[in-house]
Amino acid sequence: MQLTDITVLKTALDWLYQGKTFWLCTILKTYGSAPRPVGALFATDGHLRRGSISGGCLEDAFIEMLNNGDFNGSASVFSYGDHMQGEAIATELPCGGTIRLLVECLQPSDNVLAHLELWLQLAQSHTGYVRHVKLQSDDIHIELTSDQPSLSVVETSDLIEVYYEQVWKFIILGISQVGMSVAQLAIMAGYEVHVCDMRKQFESSWTYTAETGGVDVTWISPDILVDKLADNRTAVLALAHDPRIDDLGLMSAFESKAFYLGAMGSKKTSIAREERLKRVCDLSFSDLTRLHAPIGLNIGSKTPIEIAIAIMADVIRVKNNISLDVL
């Protein structure tokens, strides 16, 4: 779940505490160039709004429909776009896509309050869970799950199940300005972020702490943290620019199932690193192809934030199985 959607849940809880009724929209399916992912949230009390349905172009139309008396039932499914013939149609997105929504009218009650409190707790714990909503009734519940169906949304005539996956993780090896920018971008994008280092003398340079909305540094040998946390939903990023940190973490990362391994440095530095890793870890050429070095898409980045953007873009590309050939 993205940070923006967690903000929606927090606002929804605040509205419940204030005794407000509001409408919560969950994106169930998109067609074409719809700009928001499945599972994304939008909430409004008819005036205030949090999150978005389409990035801005349909929220006004939705609120206008609310003011005209639509969506008074507890839960229903609604579709934007002319590809959903035979259903209630409002308008097609300017980009030509369509969006299918679960629309819930949530009123203050002990049941709804407990439901959203648990939902926020699960979302912030970064684990996988499934949310069940019975259409045209007040039956809603949520639970942990280790199973993920082929679709993230399962619909029947009277029940909607929305599956939220365990979040993807970043392990950032070493304190650096680039690493701090990557951590900021990753947290905003909804990733779980871990940062480790052993060089306590650099502690004061890491200002993006948990207290400021970021992440605290774990003072531990990077190989230990990688061994503990890396799985097939993890990107391991060697950003220290120090072989004592980068190489040690990467040695363990090659033994993990991490979906992305990357290391910062020039082409000359990257070649030297590969030679060290090949010699010390007895890695094959095939093994070394897992390592993205120099890390990031080649977009001419110079500043720490530009390099961080290039790194984020490449990690997202690999996560989504997008070939460099199509860029």
Side-chain angles (χ1 to χ4, degrees):
M1 174 172 280
Q2 295 180 324
L3 183 63
T4 52
D5 294 319
I6 290 178
T7 301
V8 172
L9 292 180
K10 290 180 177 179
T11 298
L13 273 170
D14 286 341
W15 287 344
L16 288 176
Y17 296 144
Q18 296 168 27
K20 287 186 177 182
T21 294
F22 63 93
W23 287 260
L24 180 67
C25 298
T26 304
I27 294 179
L28 299 179
K29 189 176 292 186
T30 63
Y31 304 83
S33 300
R36 292 282 280 149
V38 170
L41 302 176
F42 169 72
T44 180
D45 63 356
H47 302 283
L48 301 174
R49 60 183 76 178
R50 291 293 184 274
S52 71
I53 297 170
S54 62
C57 57
L58 291 180
E59 288 73 14
D60 287 342
F62 181 82
I63 291 177
E64 182 179 352
M65 295 180 71
L66 287 182
N67 293 333
N68 289 336
D70 293 308
F71 308 122
N72 286 325
S74 56
S76 60
V77 172
F78 178 78
S79 298
Y80 284 104
D82 61 8
H83 299 106
M84 305 295 292
Q85 297 299 324
E87 299 193 22
I89 304 300
T91 182
E92 186 180 65
L93 293 172
C95 57
T98 62
I99 294 178
R100 185 172 174 85
L101 297 173
L102 168 65
V103 182
E104 299 171 76
C105 179
L106 298 179
Q107 302 181 34
S109 70
D110 291 342
N111 178 51
V112 173
L113 183 60
H115 180 79
L116 261 71
E117 286 177 339
L118 178 57
W119 190 357
L120 179 60
Q121 176 185 332
L122 292 176
Q124 291 179 318
S125 71
H126 298 165
T127 189
Y129 59 93
V130 57
R131 183 168 184 258
H132 306 264
V133 179
K134 194 77 174 284
L135 297 178
Q136 300 303 335
S137 82
D138 296 325
D139 184 1
I140 52 176
H141 64 280
I142 194 167
E143 62 193 35
L144 284 167
T145 180
S146 57
D147 299 324
Q148 183 68 26
S150 57
L151 298 175
S152 57
V153 173
V154 176
E155 291 190 50
T156 64
S157 60
D158 64 347
L159 178 67
I160 303 293
E161 296 179 330
V162 183
Y163 288 78
Y164 290 87
E165 297 178 319
Q166 181 181 1
V167 302
W168 299 76
K169 294 194 294 279
F170 275 31
I171 298 177
I172 298 175
L173 308 179
I175 291 174
S176 67
Q177 282 297 113
V178 170
M180 192 150 57
S181 294
V182 170
Q184 290 172 316
L185 293 174
I187 287 176
M188 285 191 290
Y191 292 81
E192 177 182 324
V193 177
H194 301 268
V195 181
C196 68
D197 209 318
M198 298 184 294
R199 304 166 300 174
K200 289 282 286 187
Q201 65 269 30
F202 296 148
E203 182 174 9
S204 62
S205 67
W206 186 268
T207 58
Y208 189 50
T209 61
E211 187 178 359
T212 64
V215 57
D216 290 332
V217 177
T218 300
W219 301 103
I220 192 173
S221 181
D223 57 319
I224 296 175
L225 190 67
V226 171
D227 285 343
K228 179 181 178 181
L229 297 178
D231 57 22
N232 61 357
R233 301 176 72 82
T234 304
V236 179
L237 312 178
L239 306 180
H241 228 306
D242 183 338
R244 295 171 299 174
I245 304 297
D246 293 339
D247 288 11
L248 196 56
L250 288 173
M251 289 176 189
S252 291
F254 274 106
E255 297 178 358
S256 75
K257 295 180 180 180
F259 78 92
Y260 188 98
L261 308 181
M264 188 167 60
S266 66
K267 290 184 178 179
K268 181 179 179 181
T269 299
S270 298
I271 292 172
R273 180 190 297 109
E274 288 186 3
E275 288 298 324
R276 291 195 304 273
L277 292 171
K278 184 178 180 181
R279 182 177 64 253
V280 174
C281 302
D282 194 27
L283 298 176
S284 67
F285 175 79
S286 177
D287 293 329
L288 288 171
T289 60
R290 293 179 62 195
L291 181 62
H292 299 262
I295 194 171
L297 293 181
N298 184 8
I299 56 175
S301 305
K302 299 296 182 184
T303 64
I305 186 60
E306 287 182 346
I307 296 170
I309 290 169
I311 292 171
M312 282 295 303
D314 199 42
V315 174
I316 293 169
R317 176 190 66 81
V318 174
K319 178 178 76 72
N320 293 338
N321 296 311
I322 304 298
S323 170
L324 282 171
D325 296 337
V326 303
L327 298 178

